[in-house]
Amino acid sequence: MLLSPQLGRQLVGLADCLRFGDLAISQRSAEVVILYLARLHCAEYPFWSHTKIGKAAGLSDETVEALRLGRRPPTLEPDEAAALDLATALLEGSGGGEAVSDDAYRAAVQVLGERGVFEIVTLTGFYTTLARVVNAFRVPVPTGEPRPFEGGPPASRL
């Protein structure tokens, strides 16, 4: 973010809002989606970072490990499952020319409410962007920390 300070400040502001703002979605739901996105995009640093945050929010080791392996966790709360389903539908384009199908949208609204759907869509867009930035510059996990995925990115470009 140092390469473009104004843009970096704006991205950090959105990150702070998504992490610490007065959101309708639970932190656990947000962390399930963030870990899913980090794994989907093989973004090691965000996965490493949000493993700690997700566990602090109450995610089980089993849930984090399933997400690390690219699997659906077997035990999710209804809001966590709805958030994950919506993020998956967004990235798979399940609605043809639409971002999500009407059925996927209705199912998400039923559990998360429209505000919660907006927050998950925004979270998905932001963390997809962050994953692209982290991967483009090959941001590594801190020295001495285990890498979450085999065959991750080569040496940092920073």
Side-chain angles (χ1 to χ4, degrees), residues 6-7 21 54 58-59 63 69 74 86 106 158:
Q6 180 181 7
L7 184 56
L59 295 183
T63 294
L69 295 172
L86 178 59
R106 276 192 294 274
L158 299 177

Side-chain angles (χ1 to χ4, degrees), residues 70-93:
R71 298 183 185 139
R72 183 179 182 87
T75 56
L76 293 174
E77 295 296 323
D79 63 320
E80 297 162 6
L84 181 57
D85 290 344
L86 178 59
T88 302
L90 280 165
L91 294 172
E92 291 179 357

Side-chain angles (χ1 to χ4, degrees), residues 60-132:
S60 68
D61 291 340
E62 178 185 41
T63 294
V64 172
E65 181 63 5
L67 291 164
R68 186 185 74 78
L69 295 172
R71 298 183 185 139
R72 183 179 182 87
T75 56
L76 293 174
E77 295 296 323
D79 63 320
E80 297 162 6
L84 181 57
D85 290 344
L86 178 59
T88 302
L90 280 165
L91 294 172
E92 291 179 357
S94 67
E98 307 163 11
V100 295
S101 68
D102 288 341
D103 289 342
Y105 181 83
R106 276 192 294 274
V109 167
Q110 185 174 24
V111 176
L112 302 169
E114 290 214 4
R115 179 177 168 188
V117 168
F118 177 78
E119 291 168 2
I120 292 297
V121 170
T122 303
L123 186 84
T124 299
F126 175 78
Y127 277 93
T128 296
T129 298
L130 182 64
R132 302 295 179 158

